[in-house]
Structures are given as structure tokens and as C-alpha cells.
Amino acid sequence: MYAIQDRLLDGLRLQWEDGKRSNNDDNQSSPIKDTKQSVPFIIQRIGRGNKQEIEEITKLCIGVFFNEQEGLDSKVNTPPWKSLQLAYLGNLQRGDILARNAFNKDQLVDLIVARRIYSVDGSSNNKVDGKDAASVVRDDCQIFNAEQLPSSDGDETRLVVGEIIGYCEMTEKKFGLGGKFEDDAEEKSRPYLGNLSVAKYARSSGVGSALLDECESVVSDEWNAGHTEIVLQVEEDNTSAIQFYKRRGWEFAFADPTCRRFDTSGLFLKESRITKFAMVKRLQRRKGGQNGLSNGGDADSVLDKLRNSFFEPDEFEAQVAQELLNLEMTSTELKASLSDLFITAAKEVDCGSGRKAIIMYVPYKLQRSFQKIQARLVRELEKKFSGRHVIIVAQRNILGKSYARSQKTKGLRPRSRTLTAVQDAILEDIVYPTEITGKRTRCKVDGRRVLKVYLDGRDQANVEGRTDTYAAVYGKLTNKQVSFHFSA
């Protein structure tokens, strides 16, 4: 099938190249926009958009995502087979927006666009390149890169709004992050940023940054729904976009290798598998009086013990951070060691039979420092949280099989970031400071597997009462069944 497609595609491409050469003179004489000069623009919120705006948005998105090699305003003709593909994708994009407007009227949605600004004289009747501009720029609008506009000559010159050069959309949708980020099994509604696209000739003008700033403003000031973070997904091979988001304060959450995207490189449109990275941006955290942070101690000092987490700390995390701060202030043994240490998250899990345990997540780079004082720290915290065992686990990332290093650092994915290696490391964190002396996997008749872990028998007196908690916590974190035994 694909061999026939390649032969047909090669033949059509040769015919197309022959016909395209005859139009080179016309194409060379057509105007091309300067890609080095910053473009003046404004940011607009258009709600759900009208028909004309949706058509402009569709044209921009399809041109950026699927026709990038030609640019938005290039005069180079598109091959007919690709034109059909782009038309089909445009209908999908347009239909998605219209269907959402028709059937999901209660959903929080805001379309945000960047429009180019032109300076015209009074005799042009607000026409730009022979086309009617959208409107005259209001006096209260913030114009980005206004210094690029020509100086006004008299009262006849005015600023008008032109075409859309940037777009993104904010929608509230169910988006689960799993693991320690969810309080329950139900997915949480979160603000989702999608379809961020900027015209090629406007990419060095700050359009993307301005759109992201407006998205954060919409969620924080307009929606007023109590959201504390924004999420998005970006394809793993889009390295420039990933670096852009990182510079803007976005953090990696997880990788989803089951995503798909449309491939327009062949004669027939097809879907290919792609890994997408989920990224999270925490909105500015409120200080004092929130989530119990003002109950004793300075709020900033408490938050200093709970850093680099993705979300607004809940009441329980604030309580754990407060206890760490209290130990730093009162314990002479731990004061010096705890001064530079902090946690990233804390979670209380049910271990069955009415027992509960506390999992404290710490940065991987600080794990060794925590282990130096872990015995004393756990003992003091378990006095504060009576009846609950405290477990300290390092924060680690799992990289999928499709992970590829950047061009600067070639090679396979690190062994320490595979699923098996991370789960083994979690097991060692849970039982620390006791050493694991052996492991066996028992396969039962019904297909279930039970991991039998043998601990150092010298620690049996101190650890035997905690093994049920260890098994419950490991099961919660990895969904694997484990039983603990002691070596002779």
C-alpha cells in the first residue's frame, strides 16, 4: 500500500515541480513580509468568536501546524493533494469550534487572538493591502512593539486592526494528572491551553508570550473559578516550544505515548502515534489566610518548606510544612540540617484496618541530605502525627520508551528513569534505612504476581511493626502487591 503511494507521490511531485518552475518569476515579484522586524500587534479576547473570526483562526492554525514550510502568506502554490488534506483538516478545526459553541454553552471558553496593527492615512478608508481592516484601534488598547509603527504625519494618520497573527484558546475541561496530584479517582476540571499558534513572520515579536500572559489573566481574573494552575500538551519533537514554555515557568508533569497526530507528508492523510508532554503552570500563589497557612508562623516561612510543587498546597500539606518549620525552630539536633531542606508535596494514604500513613515527597537532589537525619526526623514527626507512620520518598520522573535525548546529548534514555528502575528505587526509599537483602517474584495460578522482599534480619525488632504500612504504601504508589520478610 505505502509502496504504491510513494510511487504515485514521486510521479505527481515531478509533474508539480515542472509546472512550478514556470511560475518562478511571478513568485519572486510577490511581496514577502520581513521576518526580522518586530510586528506591532494587540491582544483581544473574542469570547467564543464569530463566523469571520473562526475562519481566520482556522486558516492560521492549519497554516502553522500543517503547512509550516510554506508560511502563512507565501505565494508558493500548494500541491493539489495537500490542498485537499488541508481543507479536510480545516473543516475538522472549524467544526470543533462550532460544535463546542452549539452544544457546550455552559463550558468556560475564551478565544484569545493577536491582531497586527497598521498605520493608514485618512484617504485609504481603513483599507490594508486592498482589504478592509477590522476596526480602528481604541485609545485604551495596549499596542505591543508600537515603536515599529511609522511616525504619524498630521491628524489624517490613524491605526487600524489587521489580520490575526496569533491565537490560543482557554477551555475548562477534565484533565487528570494522576498519582499524587489527584485527591481522588475522579479527574479534576482544569483550565486547558490549546492550539497556541503564531504566524511565522511574527515569531520574534513577543506574540506567544503576550498570549500566555493573557491566558493567565483570563483564568485568574475573569473566570473566578478557584483554579490554581493551567495545563497544556506539547509534542515531544517540538523542542523549540518546550524550551519556550520552560522559560515561561511551565513544568513537566508526565508523558503520554498514546497520542496521535495527522501526517500530511504523503499522498494520503494518515494518523501517526506521537508522545505528548503534559506541562503545568502554577498561577501566582495567594499569601496568608489560605489553606491554613496563617495558623501559626509566618506564611512565607511555611511555604519555604513546601516548594516546587505543581499546585496550591492543600490544608494537609500546609500542616506538614508547619511541623517541619516548628522542628527547625525548636529542635537543636535538627535545626542546622533542616535549614536548607524542603519538601515538594505531602499526602495521607489509607493503609486499611483504620491505619493511615503520611508520604512526604522530597526533591531527588536533597534525598541524601534527608537520609542523614531521616531516623530522627521521622521519629519527631510521628510524635506530632500520632498513630501515623511517616514515609519519605524522592521525587522522580519516568521517561517513556519513545523518549529521545536532545541533539546536544545523544544516547538512549537513562536506565534510572525507566518504570522498573523508578519502582525499585521507590521500594528502597520506603524501607530506608533498612537494607533489602533479596527479592523473589511469586506467580500465582490466577495470574497475579506477588513480590516477596527480604529485609535485613538485624532490623526486625524495629521494622516488623511497619511492614504492613510499607506494603500498603508501595501498592498505592505502584499498584503492585508486595510482602515483606526478614532474612535469617
Side-chain angles (χ1 to χ4, degrees), residues 5 160 249 262 267:
Q5 171 184 330
V160 296
F262 287 102
L267 182 61

Side-chain angles (χ1 to χ4, degrees), residues 206-409:
V207 177
S209 297
L211 289 171
L212 289 182
D213 289 339
E214 193 67 17
C215 288
E216 295 177 20
S217 177
V218 166
V219 176
S220 301
D221 303 334
E222 300 295 329
W223 285 10
N224 195 25
H227 295 299
T228 58
E229 75 281 338
I230 304 176
V231 296
L232 61 79
Q233 287 180 295
V234 59
E235 295 173 354
E236 66 172 347
D237 57 0
N238 194 351
T239 54
S240 59
I242 295 173
Q243 294 302 320
F244 168 72
Y245 290 128
K246 286 183 177 180
R247 290 194 301 268
R248 296 286 305 173
W250 292 75
E251 301 176 80
F252 174 83
F254 67 90
D256 184 2
T258 64
C259 299
R260 292 183 176 272
R261 68 177 173 188
F262 287 102
D263 183 3
T264 61
S265 60
L267 182 61
F268 301 107
L269 183 67
K270 59 182 180 180
E271 287 184 291
S272 57
R273 190 178 296 276
I274 184 68
T275 298
K276 288 187 178 182
F277 295 153
M279 304 187 74
V280 180
K281 173 66 180 291
R282 295 189 64 190
L283 300 178
Q284 187 173 4
R285 187 156 46 194
R286 297 183 299 271
K287 293 183 179 181
Q290 298 292 334
N291 298 334
L293 295 181
S294 62
N295 297 331
D298 181 70
D300 291 336
S301 300
V302 175
L303 291 176
D304 191 52
K305 288 299 175 187
L306 182 60
R307 298 188 306 207
N308 292 345
S309 55
F310 285 113
F311 309 116
E312 186 82 9
D314 56 26
E315 184 176 354
F316 180 73
E317 288 180 326
Q319 185 181 359
V320 174
Q322 182 66 59
E323 294 299 338
L324 287 175
L325 180 62
N326 293 339
L327 286 175
E328 181 183 343
M329 301 297 292
T330 59
S331 176
T332 55
E333 295 181 350
L334 299 174
K335 183 175 182 179
S337 301
L338 284 176
S339 60
D340 297 326
L341 300 182
F342 58 88
I343 64 174
T344 58
K347 185 176 182 181
E348 187 177 43
V349 297
D350 186 6
C351 299
S353 302
R355 296 176 292 106
K356 292 185 177 181
I358 298 173
I359 305 175
M360 292 198 317
Y361 294 90
V362 303
Y364 178 77
K365 292 182 178 181
L366 297 181
Q367 183 189 21
R368 293 290 180 87
S369 299
F370 270 98
Q371 288 180 345
K372 291 178 181 179
I373 60 171
Q374 182 162 331
R376 289 175 293 172
L377 179 61
V378 168
R379 183 172 64 250
E380 294 297 328
L381 288 176
E382 289 181 351
K383 292 179 182 178
K384 304 291 185 180
F385 300 97
S386 59
R388 287 172 282 186
H389 291 147
V390 176
I391 308 295
I392 298 178
V393 177
Q395 189 75 58
R396 296 180 176 86
N397 291 329
I398 300 175
L399 301 177
K401 293 182 178 180
S402 60
Y403 169 79
R405 290 178 180 264
S406 64
Q407 295 180 354
K408 296 181 180 179
T409 56

Side-chain angles (χ1 to χ4, degrees), residues 57 92 112 140 170 301 375:
I57 289 170
L92 288 181
I112 303 170
D140 59 345
M170 286 301 308
S301 300

Side-chain angles (χ1 to χ4, degrees), residues 43-61:
I43 298 295
Q44 291 181 335
R45 302 178 189 175
I46 59 174
R48 290 176 176 262
N50 57 38
K51 184 177 180 180
Q52 181 181 355
E53 292 167 338
I54 292 175
E55 288 294 333
E56 283 192 78
I57 289 170
T58 300
K59 180 181 177 182
L60 173 68
C61 291

Side-chain angles (χ1 to χ4, degrees), residues 1 10 96 114 149 194 289 319 406 488:
M1 175 65 181
D10 291 338
D96 180 64
L149 292 169
Q319 185 181 359
S406 64

